[in-house]
mmCIF file of all heavy atoms in Angstrom:
data_model
loop_
_atom_site.group_PDB
_atom_site.id
_atom_site.type_symbol
_atom_site.label_atom_id
_atom_site.label_comp_id
_atom_site.label_asym_id
_atom_site.label_seq_id
_atom_site.Cartn_x
_atom_site.Cartn_y
_atom_site.Cartn_z
ATOM 1 N N CYS A 1182 -18.898 8.715 2.093
ATOM 2 C CA CYS A 1182 -19.664 7.454 2.115
ATOM 3 C C CYS A 1182 -21.154 7.746 2.121
ATOM 4 O O CYS A 1182 -21.895 7.029 1.456
ATOM 5 C CB CYS A 1182 -19.251 6.586 3.322
ATOM 6 S SG CYS A 1182 -17.636 5.847 3.149
ATOM 7 N N GLU A 1183 -21.627 8.672 2.908
ATOM 8 C CA GLU A 1183 -23.086 8.974 2.900
ATOM 9 C C GLU A 1183 -23.466 9.515 1.567
ATOM 10 O O GLU A 1183 -24.581 9.201 1.164
ATOM 11 C CB GLU A 1183 -23.406 9.906 4.040
ATOM 12 C CG GLU A 1183 -23.206 9.393 5.477
ATOM 13 C CD GLU A 1183 -23.332 10.407 6.515
ATOM 14 O OE1 GLU A 1183 -23.442 11.650 6.218
ATOM 15 O OE2 GLU A 1183 -23.247 10.004 7.759
ATOM 16 N N LEU A 1184 -22.579 10.291 0.925
ATOM 17 C CA LEU A 1184 -22.968 10.910 -0.300
ATOM 18 C C LEU A 1184 -23.120 9.777 -1.446
ATOM 19 O O LEU A 1184 -24.038 9.879 -2.327
ATOM 20 C CB LEU A 1184 -21.821 11.970 -0.791
ATOM 21 C CG LEU A 1184 -22.121 12.866 -1.927
ATOM 22 C CD1 LEU A 1184 -23.382 13.703 -1.572
ATOM 23 C CD2 LEU A 1184 -20.936 13.755 -2.087
ATOM 24 N N TYR A 1185 -22.258 8.816 -1.430
ATOM 25 C CA TYR A 1185 -22.201 7.844 -2.507
ATOM 26 C C TYR A 1185 -22.797 6.494 -2.094
ATOM 27 O O TYR A 1185 -22.815 5.532 -2.955
ATOM 28 C CB TYR A 1185 -20.676 7.667 -3.044
ATOM 29 C CG TYR A 1185 -20.294 8.894 -3.827
ATOM 30 C CD1 TYR A 1185 -19.692 9.917 -3.233
ATOM 31 C CD2 TYR A 1185 -20.461 8.798 -5.267
ATOM 32 C CE1 TYR A 1185 -19.217 11.001 -4.059
ATOM 33 C CE2 TYR A 1185 -20.053 9.872 -6.053
ATOM 34 C CZ TYR A 1185 -19.454 10.990 -5.463
ATOM 35 O OH TYR A 1185 -19.066 11.971 -6.220
ATOM 36 N N GLY A 1186 -23.124 6.260 -0.916
ATOM 37 C CA GLY A 1186 -23.728 4.991 -0.435
ATOM 38 C C GLY A 1186 -22.600 3.895 -0.180
ATOM 39 O O GLY A 1186 -22.960 2.692 -0.316
ATOM 40 N N PHE A 1187 -21.446 4.353 0.084
ATOM 41 C CA PHE A 1187 -20.384 3.284 0.380
ATOM 42 C C PHE A 1187 -20.378 3.106 1.904
ATOM 43 O O PHE A 1187 -20.863 3.824 2.730
ATOM 44 C CB PHE A 1187 -18.985 3.857 -0.021
ATOM 45 C CG PHE A 1187 -18.840 3.957 -1.527
ATOM 46 C CD1 PHE A 1187 -18.095 5.043 -2.053
ATOM 47 C CD2 PHE A 1187 -19.380 2.952 -2.425
ATOM 48 C CE1 PHE A 1187 -17.954 5.092 -3.466
ATOM 49 C CE2 PHE A 1187 -19.219 3.129 -3.788
ATOM 50 C CZ PHE A 1187 -18.559 4.159 -4.311
ATOM 51 N N GLU A 1188 -19.577 2.052 2.318
ATOM 52 C CA GLU A 1188 -19.309 1.745 3.679
ATOM 53 C C GLU A 1188 -17.777 1.983 3.859
ATOM 54 O O GLU A 1188 -16.995 1.517 3.048
ATOM 55 C CB GLU A 1188 -19.625 0.333 4.012
ATOM 56 C CG GLU A 1188 -21.113 -0.060 4.112
ATOM 57 C CD GLU A 1188 -21.399 -0.897 5.270
ATOM 58 O OE1 GLU A 1188 -21.125 -0.452 6.423
ATOM 59 O OE2 GLU A 1188 -21.847 -2.061 5.057
ATOM 60 N N PRO A 1189 -17.389 2.728 4.912
ATOM 61 C CA PRO A 1189 -15.938 3.000 5.062
ATOM 62 C C PRO A 1189 -15.175 1.692 5.286
ATOM 63 O O PRO A 1189 -14.002 1.594 4.870
ATOM 64 C CB PRO A 1189 -15.880 3.833 6.327
ATOM 65 C CG PRO A 1189 -17.230 3.733 7.034
ATOM 66 C CD PRO A 1189 -18.202 3.375 5.916
ATOM 67 N N PHE A 1190 -15.768 0.615 5.829
ATOM 68 C CA PHE A 1190 -15.093 -0.598 5.982
ATOM 69 C C PHE A 1190 -14.666 -1.240 4.689
ATOM 70 O O PHE A 1190 -13.748 -2.155 4.633
ATOM 71 C CB PHE A 1190 -15.991 -1.663 6.762
ATOM 72 C CG PHE A 1190 -16.801 -0.986 7.777
ATOM 73 C CD1 PHE A 1190 -18.242 -0.950 7.651
ATOM 74 C CD2 PHE A 1190 -16.195 -0.440 8.943
ATOM 75 C CE1 PHE A 1190 -19.017 -0.411 8.623
ATOM 76 C CE2 PHE A 1190 -17.028 0.210 9.947
ATOM 77 C CZ PHE A 1190 -18.423 0.257 9.814
ATOM 78 N N ASP A 1191 -15.293 -0.889 3.631
ATOM 79 C CA ASP A 1191 -15.019 -1.577 2.291
ATOM 80 C C ASP A 1191 -13.985 -0.790 1.524
ATOM 81 O O ASP A 1191 -13.508 -1.219 0.491
ATOM 82 C CB ASP A 1191 -16.279 -1.650 1.442
ATOM 83 C CG ASP A 1191 -17.360 -2.610 2.162
ATOM 84 O OD1 ASP A 1191 -16.946 -3.274 3.019
ATOM 85 O OD2 ASP A 1191 -18.570 -2.582 1.632
ATOM 86 N N LEU A 1192 -13.675 0.436 1.784
ATOM 87 C CA LEU A 1192 -12.920 1.332 1.051
ATOM 88 C C LEU A 1192 -11.439 1.001 1.195
ATOM 89 O O LEU A 1192 -11.022 0.681 2.312
ATOM 90 C CB LEU A 1192 -13.135 2.818 1.406
ATOM 91 C CG LEU A 1192 -14.505 3.403 0.884
ATOM 92 C CD1 LEU A 1192 -14.620 4.839 1.310
ATOM 93 C CD2 LEU A 1192 -14.638 3.259 -0.638
ATOM 94 N N ALA A 1193 -10.617 1.208 0.174
ATOM 95 C CA ALA A 1193 -9.230 0.906 0.187
ATOM 96 C C ALA A 1193 -8.428 1.839 1.021
ATOM 97 O O ALA A 1193 -8.666 2.970 1.162
ATOM 98 C CB ALA A 1193 -8.695 0.930 -1.239
ATOM 99 N N ASN A 1194 -7.305 1.271 1.629
ATOM 100 C CA ASN A 1194 -6.288 2.084 2.331
ATOM 101 C C ASN A 1194 -4.922 1.740 1.751
ATOM 102 O O ASN A 1194 -4.754 0.666 1.122
ATOM 103 C CB ASN A 1194 -6.262 1.675 3.807
ATOM 104 C CG ASN A 1194 -7.620 1.558 4.477
ATOM 105 O OD1 ASN A 1194 -8.135 2.670 4.984
ATOM 106 N ND2 ASN A 1194 -8.378 0.504 4.412
ATOM 107 N N GLU A 1195 -3.979 2.617 1.894
ATOM 108 C CA GLU A 1195 -2.638 2.323 1.431
ATOM 109 C C GLU A 1195 -1.559 2.691 2.520
ATOM 110 O O GLU A 1195 -0.381 2.726 2.131
ATOM 111 C CB GLU A 1195 -2.358 3.084 0.089
ATOM 112 C CG GLU A 1195 -3.080 2.520 -1.085
ATOM 113 C CD GLU A 1195 -2.699 1.082 -1.507
ATOM 114 O OE1 GLU A 1195 -1.686 0.656 -1.025
ATOM 115 O OE2 GLU A 1195 -3.422 0.478 -2.326
ATOM 116 N N GLY A 1196 -2.040 2.852 3.699
ATOM 117 C CA GLY A 1196 -0.951 3.112 4.708
ATOM 118 C C GLY A 1196 -1.613 2.835 6.120
ATOM 119 O O GLY A 1196 -1.263 3.381 7.097
ATOM 120 N N THR A 1197 -2.602 1.821 6.079
ATOM 121 C CA THR A 1197 -3.296 1.496 7.253
ATOM 122 C C THR A 1197 -3.233 -0.047 7.384
ATOM 123 O O THR A 1197 -3.474 -0.681 6.413
ATOM 124 C CB THR A 1197 -4.778 1.922 7.167
ATOM 125 O OG1 THR A 1197 -4.837 3.371 6.982
ATOM 126 C CG2 THR A 1197 -5.570 1.592 8.387
ATOM 127 N N PHE A 1198 -2.925 -0.532 8.544
ATOM 128 C CA PHE A 1198 -2.836 -1.928 8.714
ATOM 129 C C PHE A 1198 -3.652 -2.433 9.932
ATOM 130 O O PHE A 1198 -3.916 -1.745 10.912
ATOM 131 C CB PHE A 1198 -1.362 -2.399 8.695
ATOM 132 C CG PHE A 1198 -0.479 -2.039 9.862
ATOM 133 C CD1 PHE A 1198 -0.139 -3.136 10.751
ATOM 134 C CD2 PHE A 1198 -0.187 -0.761 10.106
ATOM 135 C CE1 PHE A 1198 0.667 -2.854 11.822
ATOM 136 C CE2 PHE A 1198 0.732 -0.411 11.218
ATOM 137 C CZ PHE A 1198 1.114 -1.468 12.016
ATOM 138 N N ILE A 1199 -3.879 -3.745 9.924
ATOM 139 C CA ILE A 1199 -4.658 -4.435 10.997
ATOM 140 C C ILE A 1199 -3.676 -5.441 11.603
ATOM 141 O O ILE A 1199 -3.007 -6.160 10.892
ATOM 142 C CB ILE A 1199 -5.938 -5.134 10.453
ATOM 143 C CG1 ILE A 1199 -6.510 -4.371 9.266
ATOM 144 C CG2 ILE A 1199 -6.925 -5.417 11.536
ATOM 145 C CD1 ILE A 1199 -7.184 -3.007 9.606
ATOM 146 N N LEU A 1200 -3.767 -5.515 12.974
ATOM 147 C CA LEU A 1200 -2.988 -6.562 13.616
ATOM 148 C C LEU A 1200 -3.866 -7.375 14.478
ATOM 149 O O LEU A 1200 -4.873 -6.898 15.018
ATOM 150 C CB LEU A 1200 -2.027 -5.880 14.622
ATOM 151 C CG LEU A 1200 -0.913 -4.953 14.140
ATOM 152 C CD1 LEU A 1200 -1.244 -3.546 14.385
ATOM 153 C CD2 LEU A 1200 0.375 -5.295 14.936
ATOM 154 N N ALA A 1201 -3.492 -8.677 14.734
ATOM 155 C CA ALA A 1201 -4.057 -9.533 15.748
ATOM 156 C C ALA A 1201 -2.912 -9.891 16.711
ATOM 157 O O ALA A 1201 -1.890 -10.444 16.285
ATOM 158 C CB ALA A 1201 -4.615 -10.751 15.154
ATOM 159 N N VAL A 1202 -3.116 -9.481 17.902
ATOM 160 C CA VAL A 1202 -2.076 -9.746 19.046
ATOM 161 C C VAL A 1202 -2.794 -10.290 20.236
ATOM 162 O O VAL A 1202 -4.005 -10.128 20.415
ATOM 163 C CB VAL A 1202 -1.276 -8.440 19.398
ATOM 164 C CG1 VAL A 1202 -0.541 -7.881 18.169
ATOM 165 C CG2 VAL A 1202 -2.189 -7.437 19.993
ATOM 166 N N PRO A 1203 -1.995 -11.102 21.033
ATOM 167 C CA PRO A 1203 -2.661 -11.551 22.327
ATOM 168 C C PRO A 1203 -3.183 -10.403 23.114
ATOM 169 O O PRO A 1203 -2.508 -9.335 23.178
ATOM 170 C CB PRO A 1203 -1.469 -12.234 22.982
ATOM 171 C CG PRO A 1203 -0.495 -12.637 21.936
ATOM 172 C CD PRO A 1203 -0.639 -11.530 20.902
ATOM 173 N N GLN A 1204 -4.321 -10.687 23.769
ATOM 174 C CA GLN A 1204 -4.964 -9.551 24.562
ATOM 175 C C GLN A 1204 -3.912 -9.050 25.565
ATOM 176 O O GLN A 1204 -3.921 -7.822 25.838
ATOM 177 C CB GLN A 1204 -6.198 -10.183 25.270
ATOM 178 C CG GLN A 1204 -7.086 -9.098 25.986
ATOM 179 C CD GLN A 1204 -7.666 -8.183 25.089
ATOM 180 O OE1 GLN A 1204 -8.330 -8.568 24.080
ATOM 181 N NE2 GLN A 1204 -7.585 -6.818 25.293
ATOM 182 N N ALA A 1205 -3.056 -9.891 26.138
ATOM 183 C CA ALA A 1205 -2.111 -9.443 27.174
ATOM 184 C C ALA A 1205 -1.212 -8.349 26.663
ATOM 185 O O ALA A 1205 -0.665 -7.530 27.510
ATOM 186 C CB ALA A 1205 -1.354 -10.650 27.748
ATOM 187 N N VAL A 1206 -0.867 -8.265 25.403
ATOM 188 C CA VAL A 1206 0.096 -7.293 24.880
ATOM 189 C C VAL A 1206 -0.550 -6.199 24.105
ATOM 190 O O VAL A 1206 0.117 -5.335 23.483
ATOM 191 C CB VAL A 1206 1.199 -7.966 24.001
ATOM 192 C CG1 VAL A 1206 1.984 -8.958 24.953
ATOM 193 C CG2 VAL A 1206 0.657 -8.620 22.745
ATOM 194 N N ALA A 1207 -1.945 -6.187 24.044
ATOM 195 C CA ALA A 1207 -2.602 -5.242 23.233
ATOM 196 C C ALA A 1207 -2.368 -3.718 23.668
ATOM 197 O O ALA A 1207 -2.063 -2.895 22.774
ATOM 198 C CB ALA A 1207 -4.153 -5.507 23.289
ATOM 199 N N LYS A 1208 -2.299 -3.494 24.926
ATOM 200 C CA LYS A 1208 -2.064 -2.193 25.375
ATOM 201 C C LYS A 1208 -0.686 -1.681 25.015
ATOM 202 O O LYS A 1208 -0.460 -0.597 24.677
ATOM 203 C CB LYS A 1208 -2.310 -2.161 26.960
ATOM 204 C CG LYS A 1208 -2.479 -0.759 27.542
ATOM 205 C CD LYS A 1208 -3.164 -0.773 28.895
ATOM 206 C CE LYS A 1208 -3.275 0.544 29.515
ATOM 207 N NZ LYS A 1208 -1.948 1.027 30.114
ATOM 208 N N ALA A 1209 0.319 -2.660 25.299
ATOM 209 C CA ALA A 1209 1.664 -2.229 25.002
ATOM 210 C C ALA A 1209 1.875 -2.005 23.485
ATOM 211 O O ALA A 1209 2.664 -1.079 23.090
ATOM 212 C CB ALA A 1209 2.649 -3.436 25.444
#
Side-chain angles (χ1 to χ4, degrees):
C1182 285
E1183 287 173 358
L1184 193 60
Y1185 285 90
F1187 292 144
E1188 291 222 59
F1190 322 113
D1191 297 347
L1192 287 181
N1194 310 272
E1195 287 294 348
T1197 302
F1198 69 112
I1199 324 294
L1200 296 103
V1202 300
Q1204 188 66 52
V1206 298
K1208 194 162 178 283

